[in-house]
Amino acid sequence: MAATINHDRSADLAARSVIPAVTIIFTVLIMIAVAIIWSARRTDKNGLALERRIALSVGDIALDHFDASFRRARWSGKPLREALPTLVRNIDTQHAFDVVGLLEAGETEPEIIATRDTGYPQIHAIARQAIASGLRRQAATAASARLPGRAYLLAGRHVVLMIATPAAGGTTAFAFRVLDAGMLTALGAAAGLRHLHLTVDPENYDSDNLATLPNGPEAVAAALSWEPRRSGQAMLHDVLPVVIFGACLLLLFSILIFMRIRKVIVEMLVAEQHAKHLAGHDSLTGLANRASFMEQLRRELVRLRRDNGSLAVMFIDLDKFKDVNDTLGHGAGDRLLVNVAQRLSAQLRGADTLARLGGDEFAVVQTQVRNISDTEALARRLLAALQAPFDLDGREAYVGVSIGIVMSPANGGIAEELIRHADVALYRSKSEGRNRFSFFETRMDASARMRNLVENDLRRAIENDELTLHYQPQVAADASRIVAMEALVRWDHPAHGQIAPGEFISLAEERGLIVPLGEWVLRRALSDARAWPGMTISINVSAVQFKQRDFVATVARIIEETGFDPSLLEIELTESVVVQDADGAEDAIVELRAMGVRLALDDFGTGYSSLIYLRRFAFDKIKIDKSFLESMEATGESAILVHSVVHLGRALGLTVIAEGVETEEQRRFLQAVGCHQLQGFLFSKPVPAADVARLLEIGHLRPKAA
């Protein structure tokens, strides 16, 4: 279909490009040809008219020559009878007369004085007939008995050119010559007429090629004829083939140009189609990209409103994809994405749309949804399709998938709104354990808006120093004295009030804000602690912050900037820090201990709690997680675990502290099993820095009454 479309479009575009130009050129050529033909005919017509005028004057020109000869003979000083014979002996035969003679007054028969050998045996008869014809003409036109001075006379089928002039005593001298072929040829050459000849029966000839002889009624029966030059026809004969040849060349050239333009247009259309495909599709998987997905979703929503149907939008995010990239390389990661796209596509119907939004994120538009169970079934098929391992160059890789689903029109009818809701549902799936699917619920949207708000405002709060620190005392097990202060960050939002640390700290880790937040907490805590000489400050450090390459250097820089004693700084780390990168963690811990900083293992008992980590890493303190104390009974399982942890810590020479102590019974139990330090609301809630001095003045914290 694409090739056909390209063929049709290319032919149409090529035709629209070439045909106007060719039409104009052909029109110009036709106009030139018409102009040449018209000009040729006009030239021939004008040439014929000119030649006709020339032919009409040929006789007069000849008479002028003969008249000059006759006059020279007459005025030569000799008697006329002696002078006339010289006219037939003229060296220039073109001007020689055939017959000369005298006609006495009152006579009708001329006296032939001399003749030239002309080859006309009837020359004398012709002469007499010419004289008689001249006399008849004179009688018809004038009363004079003299012959006319010059005339063309017809004698039978011969035209005679005669010169007559009066002589002494009423005698008329005459001389004439028959207009033969030789003389006509000579006259034609002098006049520029080709093949001049005499036509004595002009009715049988084209009048355009004839010039009637003048001066005499008899002359109408004779005419001069010649071969017209027709220079226009000659020009047409020479030029028109060139024009036709040029038109043929132009036609051939136009065809070649048409084919070339068509080829170029086809290439352009293919490139355009390829560019459009690339603009709307992912280059790696061939799936629709984000822009194309949004366009398709909008079309489906329009159809949905028209048909009163339902559809589902799914956001799909791969779990553990980063591990594949890190361990097998980005090439293997690309092949994995292609395989994932193929498996997902196999689970969809033809009316559904699968797109790759970027990275390891995919999206689906499921159309013609009858009820929510259709969407649940598709989600389960997608989860199952990715359960089997992927073969990446002989190595197996496993990935899970988290899916967020939103229904339309139940949860909105605007594309952007549905995309946002699907993203919220995806976040829910990932936060609840991954490799599962979640449907969007209205309450999720409020939570998502809060996260977006927190993210935008938290960055500004860190930059503008709008956060605060509260400090919670850590006391000796007998509550006799305060041994340390744990710094806890607080955020009093100007519009939303107090935001729980659990909300914005986890968000800071997700959005990459935990590093600047951690640096702010460390710098502020050490600055505050300068007012409490000798007091240990305990600060929580997230795994993301601790894994930064410059973490130890940052701690050292802040200690130097604040002038704080590093031996009074205690950094609390969770077990996940040492599990994810044991070698890197060990190097950092060694450097921190070399500086004099003490280290505590936080939330002990909730993670791996392996003795290997306690032996390998030089921790100074372990902190028992408060979850063990929430439902602890003196003889319960949690009590046994706490008792074991305390004895383990003491056996390893570590300080053991329990957090979340809220009742006197918990305090007495922990003191009895040998716990060194306690922390919790039983002694004090976290207080602002301004209240720490008051607590330190007391020197010890008496447990609050239950």
Side-chain angles (χ1 to χ4, degrees):
M1 178 62 72
T4 302
I5 293 173
N6 282 338
H7 174 80
D8 295 341
R9 288 190 62 194
S10 64
D12 180 60
L13 290 175
R16 283 191 289 170
S17 301
V18 174
I19 288 178
V22 173
T23 301
I24 293 174
I25 296 175
F26 267 105
T27 302
V28 172
L29 285 176
I30 291 173
M31 293 176 64
I32 292 174
V34 171
I36 291 174
I37 294 172
W38 179 84
S39 178
R41 291 184 176 179
R42 183 74 176 176
T43 300
D44 287 345
K45 185 176 180 180
N46 293 338
L48 286 172
L50 177 62
E51 289 177 346
R52 189 176 294 111
R53 289 194 297 271
I54 293 173
L56 290 173
S57 63
V58 164
D60 292 336
I61 294 172
L63 285 173
D64 288 341
H65 285 290
F66 287 114
D67 185 52
S69 299
F70 191 85
R71 291 179 184 278
R72 284 196 299 271
R74 181 182 177 187
W75 300 104
S76 63
K78 296 179 180 181
L80 195 57
R81 289 181 177 274
E82 296 179 5
L84 287 177
T86 61
L87 296 180
V88 300
R89 297 192 299 272
N90 197 319
I91 297 176
D92 185 1
T93 58
Q94 292 185 16
H95 299 109
F97 288 92
D98 292 334
V99 177
V100 296
L102 295 172
L103 180 63
E104 297 294 339
E107 297 290 335
T108 59
E109 289 294 329
E111 178 186 359
I112 304 301
I113 297 177
T115 61
R116 188 170 66 89
D117 184 10
T118 62
Y120 292 103
Q122 309 90 351
I123 189 66
H124 291 136
I126 293 172
R128 291 184 177 89
Q129 186 180 5
I131 292 298
S133 179
L135 291 175
R136 287 194 302 271
R137 179 173 174 235
Q138 183 272 338
T141 57
S144 172
R146 294 181 299 172
L147 292 172
R150 57 180 64 180
Y152 286 111
L153 300 174
L154 177 63
R157 296 183 63 85
H158 301 285
V159 175
V160 177
L161 179 65
M162 185 176 74
I163 300 296
T165 184
T171 301
T172 299
F174 65 87
F176 69 86
R177 180 172 176 172
V178 178
L179 288 179
D180 58 7
M183 185 175 181
L184 288 173
T185 299
L187 290 173
L193 300 176
R194 295 188 303 175
H195 305 109
L196 184 66
H197 58 281
L198 184 66
T199 299
V200 297
D201 189 9
E203 290 78 7
N204 297 327
Y205 295 89
D206 185 2
S207 61
D208 285 342
N209 293 332
L210 300 176
T212 304
L213 293 173
N215 300 330
E218 301 85 353
V220 297
L224 290 175
S225 181
W226 66 96
E227 181 181 338
R229 291 186 180 275
R230 298 191 181 276
S231 56
Q233 292 292 332
M235 178 182 65
L236 200 61
H237 181 270
D238 295 336
V239 175
L240 199 57
V242 176
V243 175
I244 295 174
F245 180 71
C248 293
L249 285 181
L250 176 62
L251 180 61
L252 178 61
F253 181 72
S254 301
I255 293 174
L256 295 176
I257 291 295
F258 176 83
M259 298 303 294
R260 178 59 182 168
I261 291 178
R262 181 181 172 187
K263 181 180 178 182
V264 171
I265 290 175
V266 168
E267 293 173 352
M268 291 174 60
L269 290 175
V270 171
E272 177 186 358
Q273 204 168 41
H274 182 62
K276 287 182 178 179
H277 179 80
L278 291 179
H281 291 79
D282 174 52
S283 59
L284 177 63
T285 62
L287 300 177
N289 59 14
R290 181 181 291 272
S292 181
F293 177 79
M294 292 297 294
E295 182 179 353
Q296 180 64 24
L297 177 57
R298 292 188 181 97
R299 285 198 294 265
E300 293 297 339
L301 289 173
V302 172
R303 187 179 299 112
L304 184 73
R305 288 190 288 270
R306 184 180 64 241
D307 300 339
N308 295 322
S310 181
L311 63 77
V313 177
M314 298 183 179
F315 265 24
I316 304 171
D317 187 79
L318 300 184
D319 302 328
K320 301 180 182 178
F321 175 73
K322 185 176 183 300
D323 295 341
V324 175
N325 265 344
D326 293 342
T327 57
L328 302 182
H330 289 280
D334 289 344
R335 289 190 292 277
L336 174 62
L337 291 173
V338 173
N339 291 336
V340 167
Q342 293 172 350
R343 291 192 188 182
L344 294 177
S345 297
Q347 306 304 318
L348 303 180
R349 300 168 305 175
D352 299 334
T353 300
L354 174 64
R356 182 188 175 207
L357 304 184
D360 60 345
E361 296 180 350
F362 296 83
V364 171
V365 176
Q366 183 189 23
T367 59
Q368 302 173 2
V369 176
R370 293 171 299 179
N371 50 57
I372 195 171
S373 61
D374 289 345
T375 302
E376 288 179 347
L378 176 58
R380 290 191 177 91
R381 292 200 304 271
L382 296 178
L383 289 173
L386 302 185
Q387 291 297 319
F390 292 87
D391 183 6
L392 303 177
D393 297 334
R395 302 183 64 177
E396 289 187 346
Y398 291 85
V399 294
V401 61
S402 298
I403 304 176
I405 307 172
V406 61
M407 305 298 296
S408 179
N411 299 124
I414 300 175
E416 290 74 11
E417 181 183 22
L418 294 175
I419 292 298
R420 183 168 57 83
H421 289 170
D423 191 45
V424 170
L426 175 63
Y427 179 83
R428 170 77 174 274
S429 293
K430 297 176 74 70
S431 64
E432 291 187 355
R434 303 175 182 268
N435 203 34
R436 63 189 307 275
F437 63 87
S438 299
F439 282 89
F440 172 79
E441 298 175 4
T442 305
R443 60 184 178 84
M444 295 180 185
D445 194 34
S447 176
R449 285 197 296 269
M450 176 59 71
R451 287 202 313 275
N452 293 332
L453 174 67
V454 168
E455 177 184 359
N456 295 332
D457 292 354
L458 180 58
R459 188 183 306 275
R460 182 171 60 252
I462 295 171
E463 294 173 352
N464 297 338
D465 200 22
E466 296 175 356
L467 304 174
T468 59
L469 288 183
H470 283 202
Y471 297 89
Q472 187 173 33
Q474 296 177 352
V475 302
D478 59 0
S480 60
R481 60 190 176 87
I482 298 174
V483 296
M485 288 287 184
E486 181 179 2
L488 302 170
V489 65
R490 296 290 184 266
W491 184 15
D492 187 7
H493 193 279
H496 300 280
Q498 287 289 338
I499 298 177
E503 294 183 12
F504 70 84
I505 291 178
S506 60
L507 180 64
E509 290 181 338
E510 292 178 10
R511 307 302 186 185
L513 295 175
I514 193 63
V515 174
L517 176 61
E519 291 184 13
W520 182 90
V521 170
L522 179 61
R523 181 175 286 102
R524 172 56 62 87
L526 298 189
S527 298
D528 290 346
R530 288 184 299 182
W532 316 315
M535 179 56 60
T536 297
I537 299 299
S538 180
I539 298 177
N540 291 280
V541 173
S542 75
V544 176
Q545 184 182 5
F546 186 77
K547 286 191 295 185
Q548 298 297 310
R549 293 183 177 181
D550 60 346
F551 173 72
V552 176
T554 300
V555 173
R557 186 182 72 251
I558 294 176
I559 289 175
E560 183 178 359
E561 291 175 359
T562 58
F564 189 77
D565 182 359
S567 64
L568 298 178
L569 174 60
E570 183 177 84
I571 292 179
E572 295 186 10
L573 302 175
T574 60
E575 294 178 49
S576 61
V577 174
V578 296
V579 171
Q580 293 175 2
D581 184 11
D583 294 335
E586 184 177 19
D587 294 339
I589 288 174
V590 170
E591 293 182 22
L592 289 171
R593 288 188 63 82
M595 293 167 51
V597 176
R598 289 183 287 178
L599 298 167
L601 184 59
D602 195 12
D603 298 336
F604 187 79
T606 59
Y608 293 90
S609 302
S610 173
L611 291 177
I612 296 176
Y613 298 117
L614 290 178
R615 293 180 60 186
R616 179 176 179 181
F617 302 104
F619 287 103
D620 299 283
K621 180 190 293 187
I622 58 176
K623 179 180 282 189
I624 300 174
D625 188 75
K626 63 180 180 179
S627 61
F628 290 101
L629 303 181
E630 290 176 350
S631 59
M632 186 185 69
E633 297 178 0
T635 59
E637 182 179 344
S638 295
I640 296 173
L641 290 175
V642 171
H643 186 273
S644 300
V645 170
V646 172
H647 279 273
L648 175 63
R650 295 179 71 92
L652 295 175
L654 303 177
T655 300
V656 181
I657 181 174
E659 64 177 348
V661 180
E662 297 183 357
T663 66
E664 180 62 24
E665 289 77 9
Q666 292 173 344
R667 184 193 70 79
R668 286 197 297 265
F669 171 79
L670 292 170
Q671 184 179 12
V673 298
C675 194
H676 299 99
Q677 298 174 0
L678 305 177
Q679 179 181 351
F681 287 176
L682 179 64
F683 307 101
S684 174
K685 293 182 179 181
V687 298
D691 295 338
V692 172
R694 179 181 57 80
L695 295 178
L696 295 178
E697 288 177 359
I698 297 174
H700 66 278
L701 293 176
R702 186 180 301 277
K704 299 178 181 178

